[in-house]
Amino acid sequence: MENSTEQTRRWLKGIPYEVAFWRSYYSSRKRRKRLFEWSLYGKPCSIDNFDIQTFVRSLTADAGEPLILDVGCALSYMFGNIFDGREVKIDYIDPLAVFYNRILDDFSIDRPRIRFGMIEQLSASYAPDSADFIHIRNALDHCADPMTGILQALTVAKIGGIVYLNHHRDEAVREAYRGFHQYNITEEAGKLVIWNRHTRIDVAEALKNFAEVECSVTKDDFIVAVIRKTGPVSRSLCSPESTAVSAMDILQATVSHFHSFPASASYQLSRLVTTAGHRTMRLIPFSWVKAIKRLLKWV
């Protein structure tokens, strides 16, 4: 299994691809309009296989405004912010916030700005037992360590709070382990499983002492997991000390990576290639893009 430095360096290599993807999307007015029609910002919140409106309504009135996080949100705004006819503040969080906010500014987009945060260090940004609902859509499989991300999210969630996952099945396989796509999320006999070429984890078994996991599959074959926190997360699995050490490890690995001339040159080359690649792909019919991806899967 990879160590944290290897995971971080691999994750860093995926940044140019992700930033180029969103910049190419927002640079096209036609595609941007289609994205905003598809997104749920400014609309009633509705998610697959879970009645979030009823859940938010059930929160005690004297608790004040619910704390709802959309972690690894990127720029899709796929999480609605209207509950019982009123707007509720959502914290949009992503480790690439600085890049995404720059895209929003460059194209004068009227959407909430993104707050910097990494799911693997979420408890450094939010107090334990503070969040009512944590939404993670097509993001957990992009992070450097998905299980650490789940543990961090559960640490931040209140007892009875929900960590909600919604992901493409086996995205890393589908994307041929390119860019951020290094982990697969799937369902096997009703169980949530995270796996790649190095590891395989039965999530419910790993969390059984402090959370319940309900895993289901949508009609479009997305994997949904509703993880309800039932007790405190053991400090041996997630603690302020371990979070601080992890953050320092990531910082050290990042500094070391970009101090290397070959790594820095490779990163800048990747920026150029992915930017040109995404802009070219936007000119190609989507059916062709899917065919190309299937071809690349075997290269």
Side-chain angles (χ1 to χ4, degrees):
M1 191 169 178
E2 294 175 303
N3 61 39
S4 60
T5 298
E6 291 169 338
Q7 288 174 330
T8 300
R9 288 177 176 171
R10 174 171 46 75
W11 184 84
L12 290 170
K13 292 176 181 178
I15 292 176
Y17 179 95
E18 204 73 11
V19 175
F21 170 85
W22 285 111
R23 180 164 287 277
S24 70
Y25 220 107
Y26 271 73
S27 65
S28 165
R29 289 186 180 182
K30 181 178 179 181
R31 290 181 181 275
R32 198 164 67 223
K33 180 182 178 182
R34 189 180 305 164
L35 172 65
F36 290 163
E37 290 172 349
W38 176 56
S39 79
L40 292 178
Y41 179 75
K43 301 174 186 176
C45 189
S46 176
I47 55 179
D48 294 323
N49 299 4
F50 184 75
D51 186 353
I52 188 171
Q53 292 283 340
T54 297
F55 173 77
V56 172
R57 196 178 301 125
S58 72
L59 301 174
T60 55
D62 59 357
E65 282 291 299
L67 179 56
I68 300 176
L69 313 180
D70 187 7
V71 183
C73 59
L75 285 173
S76 62
Y77 295 99
M78 274 302 296
F79 190 63
N81 62 326
I82 304 297
F83 293 85
D84 280 344
R86 68 185 183 90
E87 183 175 332
V88 172
K89 181 179 180 295
I90 309 295
D91 280 10
Y92 299 94
I93 305 160
D94 199 284
L96 302 185
V98 64
F99 300 107
Y100 295 155
N101 289 335
R102 191 176 300 155
I103 291 170
L104 295 173
D105 291 342
D106 287 347
F107 296 101
S108 301
I109 305 300
D110 183 20
R111 287 289 187 275
R113 269 33 185 181
I114 314 300
R115 176 176 176 173
F116 173 80
M118 298 186 74
I119 189 171
E120 297 98 324
Q121 284 82 40
L122 195 60
S123 65
S125 302
Y126 293 89
D129 304 305
S130 63
D132 296 282
F133 190 90
I134 300 175
H135 177 261
I136 306 170
R137 183 185 181 96
N138 291 333
L140 190 69
D141 49 357
H142 294 185
C143 73
D145 187 342
M147 273 310 298
T148 294
I150 290 175
L151 291 170
Q152 285 279 330
L154 283 169
T155 297
V156 169
K158 296 176 180 177
I159 302 294
I162 299 292
V163 176
Y164 174 89
L165 312 178
N166 188 321
H167 293 78
H168 290 286
R169 183 192 294 271
D170 294 338
E171 179 78 341
V173 169
R174 194 162 69 107
E175 294 289 339
Y177 291 93
R178 289 182 171 85
F180 280 175
H181 307 102
Q182 298 297 319
Y183 285 90
N184 298 291
I185 295 176
T186 194
E187 175 270 343
E188 296 178 358
K191 294 182 179 181
L192 177 65
V193 176
I194 295 176
W195 68 280
N196 64 10
R197 292 174 288 195
H198 307 288
T199 189
R200 188 176 195 87
I201 301 168
D202 178 338
V203 177
E205 179 65 23
L207 305 180
K208 63 182 180 182
N209 292 329
F210 45 84
E212 298 172 346
V213 182
E214 295 181 8
C215 184
S216 59
V217 182
T218 73
K219 65 181 187 313
D220 297 319
D221 203 37
F222 283 82
I223 309 302
V224 170
V226 178
I227 306 176
R228 187 181 300 270
K229 185 175 178 180
T230 58
V233 178
S234 169
R235 286 178 63 89
S236 65
L237 296 174
C238 184
S239 68
E241 295 81 8
S242 64
T243 300
V245 169
S246 174
M248 290 301 293
D249 285 345
I250 288 176
L251 176 59
Q252 178 174 277
T254 302
V255 171
S256 173
H257 180 76
F258 286 112
H259 186 68
S260 162
F261 177 77
S264 296
S266 175
Y267 180 89
Q268 296 303 328
L269 178 61
S270 180
R271 281 187 62 192
L272 292 172
V273 171
T274 54
T275 297
H278 277 301
R279 289 181 179 176
T280 301
M281 288 293 226
R282 295 296 175 219
L283 303 174
I284 300 174
F286 186 65
S287 59
W288 292 18
V289 173
K290 290 175 68 175
I292 292 169
K293 282 187 174 183
R294 285 195 297 269
L295 179 62
L296 288 174
K297 187 176 177 180
W298 304 107
V299 174

